């Protein structure tokens, strides 16, 4: 099979990082990007922090991106289409890899020019419900000089992933340290986590 779900999982099994181009349609990517830009213009984004709601810290020397949480109560057609796709992927993941994923959470992430996120892991020390990290990029015409790569720290090497439009990235939240390198242009994505009831 060469469908995006199987490519994502096969590459994850091979390299601990699932990677696939064209995970979402061009139309959906466009609508999601427009939503993101409109929400930013309406000043709906907030400064991202580290830690969870019980213990959150804001430090622009660690991360300087802005976020807006997605929610089904927004009744946004593009976001609902994204949720439907993720639910289909979770069913596929559970049926092929027996992961027991029961929930998810996603937000828009916007890195303005000159921002970054230092090396970290995604799973909280006081809450291990986040099992897999998932990123879908929304950047059209991305060029190497734009920066903003996702840098994943494997044991023996570094893997740099350019945030190219419609590309999806998938990895274990507890295992791989990673960072977002300094971006020279605004960098946009939907970022989130597939969760269990742990």
């Amino acid at each position: 099979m060469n469908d995006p779900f199987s490519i994502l999982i096969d590459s994850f099994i091979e390299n601990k990082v699932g990677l696939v181009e064209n995970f979402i349609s061009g139309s959906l990517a466009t609508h999601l990007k427009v939503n993101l830009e409109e929400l930013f213009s309406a000043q709906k984004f907030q400064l991202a922090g580290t830690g969870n709601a019980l213990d959150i810290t804001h430090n622009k020397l660690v991360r300087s991106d802005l976020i807006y949480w997605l929610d089904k109560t927004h009744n946004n057609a593009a976001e609902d289409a994204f949720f439907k796709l993720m639910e289909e992927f979770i069913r596929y993941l559970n049926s092929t890899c027996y992961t027991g994923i029961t929930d998810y959470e996603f937000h828009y992430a916007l890195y303005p020019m000159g921002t970054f996120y230092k090396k970290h892991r995604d799973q909280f020390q006081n809450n291990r419900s986040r099992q897999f990290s998932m990123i879908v990029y929304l950047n059209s015409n991305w060029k190497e000089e734009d920066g903003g790569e996702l840098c994943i720290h494997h044991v023996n090497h570094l893997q740099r992933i350019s945030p190219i439009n419609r590309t999806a990235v998938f990895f274990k939240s507890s295992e791989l340290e990673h960072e977002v390198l300094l971006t020279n242009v605004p960098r946009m994505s939907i970022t989130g986590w597939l969760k269990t009831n742990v």
Side-chain angles (χ1 to χ4, degrees), residues 73-192:
T73 62
H74 297 161
N75 294 316
N76 180 279
E79 293 170 18
D80 287 346
F82 178 80
F83 288 142
K84 181 179 178 182
L85 178 65
M86 290 314 308
E87 288 162 5
E88 291 172 358
F89 176 65
I90 288 169
R91 285 194 292 272
Y92 183 88
L93 180 66
N94 285 340
S95 67
T96 57
C97 300
Y98 310 104
T99 51
I101 298 300
T102 57
D103 199 6
Y104 57 82
E105 58 182 1
F106 284 93
H107 60 65
Y108 289 121
L110 172 62
Y111 286 78
M113 183 176 65
T115 59
F116 54 85
Y117 191 171
K118 295 292 189 181
K119 186 167 68 171
H120 64 284
R121 285 190 178 92
D122 281 348
Q123 194 178 76
F124 302 128
Q125 291 184 351
N126 61 357
N127 184 332
R128 302 192 179 279
S129 62
R130 290 180 174 179
Q131 297 299 308
F132 296 96
S133 301
M134 187 99 182
I135 308 159
V136 180
Y137 293 115
L138 302 174
N139 306 293
S140 303
N141 304 313
W142 197 267
K143 303 180 291 297
E144 185 175 353
E145 58 267 28
D146 292 337
E149 295 97 339
L150 175 66
C151 183
I152 297 179
H153 294 252
H154 295 268
V155 173
N156 298 317
H157 70 284
L158 297 177
Q159 179 182 7
R160 289 192 177 194
I161 299 171
S162 296
I164 296 170
N165 193 39
R166 302 168 59 198
T167 295
V169 184
F170 171 78
F171 55 91
K172 284 280 286 182
S173 300
S174 62
E175 288 186 359
L176 294 177
E177 289 188 310
H178 55 286
E179 60 185 311
V180 176
L181 302 180
L182 184 75
T183 184
N184 299 316
V185 299
R187 175 193 192 272
M188 292 166 276
S189 69
I190 290 181
T191 297

